[in-house]
Amino acid sequence: MRVIIAAAGTAGHINPGIAIANKIKKEEKDSEIIFIGTTRGLENDLVPRAGYKLKTIDAYGLSKKISIENIKHMLKTLKGFGEAKKIIKDFKPDIVIGTGGYICGATIYEAKKLKVPTMLHESNAFPGKAVNMLAKKTDKILVSFEDAIPRIKNNENTVYTGTPVKMEKKEYSKLEKEEILKRERLDTDKPLVLIFGGSQGAQKINEAIIKIVEEKLNKNYQIIWAAGPRQYDIIKQKLEDVNISNIKNVKIVPYIYNMEEMMNIADLIVARSGAMTITEIAKLAKPSILIPLPNVSHNHQLYNAKVLEKVGAAKIILDSELEALKLDSEINRILNGNEALNMGKNALKVAKIDAENSIYKEIKKLVKK
């Protein structure tokens, strides 16, 4: 099978594309797969690292405001359509798949003109502009959450498949969990709250946790806290400025490299609500407190969080309402009694365990046509 995958910008767009590519390669070892992206996004690191060739074109999100910069972006994006067309004609794919980013517009549009089967995968519960704009031109749209289907204008060819993620649910024995906690220099007797705000951290979440630490509110639970590489040193300095050098029940790190392991042993997760995070929380059956990132298109992180909230698997705290006492109160409420256990069970209700197989089957159907 010859496949082009268009994915650009963030890991949330690129990683599903890589997972789909890996699945195709696993099933059909002689497949040839290339990616189309831009010169600016994380695809320039993640795609070659995964072992795939990346072709780049010009593509930008266009603003309604009239400005010289926007006109330049528009002209470059129009040029990108021609670049996408040339790549598709030269590579002669059996299918073109878009997994997110402005790159999908040119790639899917040109593939359709060249009568190549096309597919889009939407990871968020509230589909982006590209999906709705391309809905009529795309042969198949795959969604991560069922909630997304009624939000797509032309959804006749939409299928709920879930999003492929690398993380797997693991049932550690009591002894295995204790060994992991000891290795991480964490208490084996206190409930563990895992806190992260994405690969770069989240300032508002970090500020709330700093206050919890300063006030020593977390007496009944311990925290492992991924503050983000950019904010880690700033936070350490802030805590030293208020004479907190010996922090109890808290481990602060710039980044958690063994995230699958830590998510599996955590008793509660506090995080933003990107599509991949929601999918991982559901698959691992974890209770969560979600603080959606504000000021993103269509407020999609709030809609992602509501996927878990509506089945009783998560508590949402809006970014504007987040403060230390409120967060600490919710953490204690969930960890006391059976609340955390029930929320974890409820999270499984929205987990799509066989996402990779479901997506691969849809790809095969289109290619056979």
Side-chain angles (χ1 to χ4, degrees), residues 7-68:
T10 66
H13 291 151
I14 301 154
N15 285 335
I18 292 171
I20 291 169
N22 291 343
K23 176 63 177 177
I24 293 169
K25 274 287 188 182
K26 181 181 177 182
E27 298 296 331
E28 303 181 36
K29 291 181 174 57
D30 59 345
S31 293
E32 291 188 45
I33 302 170
I34 64 169
F35 280 71
I36 295 181
T38 69
T39 57
R40 309 181 306 279
L42 279 174
E43 63 270 25
N44 293 275
D45 175 36
L46 299 179
V47 171
R49 192 188 292 267
Y52 297 102
K53 181 181 281 189
L54 175 69
K55 300 273 189 179
T56 60
I57 67 172
D58 279 313
Y60 290 85
L62 302 178
S63 170
K64 292 180 180 178
K65 294 179 181 178
I66 298 174
S67 67
I68 293 173

Side-chain angles (χ1 to χ4, degrees), residues 175-192:
L175 183 61
E176 287 173 328
K177 184 176 178 180
E178 285 178 353
E179 286 175 353
I180 295 169
L181 289 167
K182 285 177 183 175
R183 189 187 70 220
E184 296 291 335
R185 296 180 182 178
L186 294 164
D187 196 317
T188 57
D189 295 321
K190 287 187 182 295
L192 178 63

Side-chain angles (χ1 to χ4, degrees), residues 41 62 69 77 107 135 137 167 169 172 187 200 241 257 272 281 284 301 318 351 354:
L62 302 178
E69 190 69 16
T77 299
T107 312
K137 294 180 174 65
M167 290 194 183
K169 181 171 172 55
Y172 291 110
D187 196 317
Q200 297 303 318
D241 288 345
Y257 291 96
R272 292 295 194 196
I281 287 171
L284 272 56
Q301 283 212 3
L318 297 178
D354 60 343

Side-chain angles (χ1 to χ4, degrees), residues 185-246:
R185 296 180 182 178
L186 294 164
D187 196 317
T188 57
D189 295 321
K190 287 187 182 295
L192 178 63
V193 180
L194 169 61
I195 299 173
F196 59 93
S199 60
Q200 297 303 318
Q203 187 173 346
K204 194 70 182 288
I205 295 174
N206 287 345
E207 287 171 357
I209 305 305
I210 288 170
K211 195 70 176 175
I212 286 175
V213 173
E214 286 179 0
E215 301 294 329
K216 298 179 181 177
L217 300 176
N218 59 314
K219 294 174 182 175
N220 300 320
Y221 59 91
Q222 61 183 326
I223 294 169
I224 181 163
W225 172 17
R230 292 179 184 175
Q231 296 192 44
Y232 176 74
D233 290 332
I234 297 170
I235 289 165
K236 293 284 278 186
Q237 187 60 54
K238 278 185 179 179
L239 293 173
E240 286 176 13
D241 288 345
V242 291
N243 297 317
I244 300 178
S245 54
N246 184 22

